[in-house]
Amino acid sequence: MKFFLLFLFINFISFSICIKVESKFPCSNPDPAPGFKLENYEGIWYEIAKIQTSGGAFFERNCVCTYLNVTEVGTGKVRADVDNVCRNKSPTGETIIASAQLINENPPGKFQETFGPGLPTVSYTIITLEQEYSVEYDCGESNFATNYCVHFMSRKPTLNSTILNQLIAQAEDLGLNPLNLPVKYTLQDGCW
């Protein structure tokens, strides 16, 4: 596990150095979902689509069948464990798990996400939380670049296209995609 975390950190730094300087800009600071309660975010969330800079895309480049498993762990500094799970290249590919923690919640629905001691944290904000779908925005800045992701999630491996399009428009209206990156749809067919 320590080797995997070291590998992630070295790749993050190396990749950040390769990104052009003009991709450095401040992270957005959206408000979290009104009335956010962590207990309502717990459980399995299937990734339906995402908007993602190359830093995040580098780590998820071969992922399909992506989902999160969120588990509330307490009321102190560490609020939740998040297992980011996907399969490598195909629905029958190797399962890949990257575990993180949501820490320092302030206000409710706005966290820092950490993948381990000594690794950089990123902002992690749940901007929409409904019973059947959610939208999560995360962003991290280094000396060289800013990387952001907007994840459109559902409690099921599918989501009504009208709802998804409304959520994408909401993220755009909030300025969460300053580079005007395309939406990428996550393969969920054949996974379950």
Side-chain angles (χ1 to χ4, degrees), residues 101-159:
Q101 291 185 316
L102 300 182
I103 60 173
N104 302 329
E105 183 180 26
N106 185 24
K110 188 178 285 275
F111 305 88
Q112 291 293 305
E113 181 180 38
T114 179
F115 285 89
L119 295 175
T121 62
V122 298
S123 66
Y124 186 103
T125 305
I126 312 306
I127 63 168
T128 301
L129 180 60
E130 297 294 336
Q131 186 174 354
E132 294 301 318
Y133 57 87
S134 67
V135 179
E136 179 269 322
Y137 167 77
D138 56 82
C139 187
E141 300 174 42
S142 72
N143 292 332
F144 307 101
T146 301
N147 283 295
Y148 64 87
C149 305
V150 184
H151 298 275
F152 304 94
M153 313 291 284
S154 174
R155 289 291 189 185
K156 299 175 185 172
T158 60
L159 183 62

Side-chain angles (χ1 to χ4, degrees), residues 61-64 86-96:
R61 69 188 179 280
N62 293 326
C63 280
V64 300
C86 72
R87 295 199 187 131
N88 189 22
K89 298 182 182 176
S90 77
T92 58
E94 175 188 3
T95 299
I96 300 169

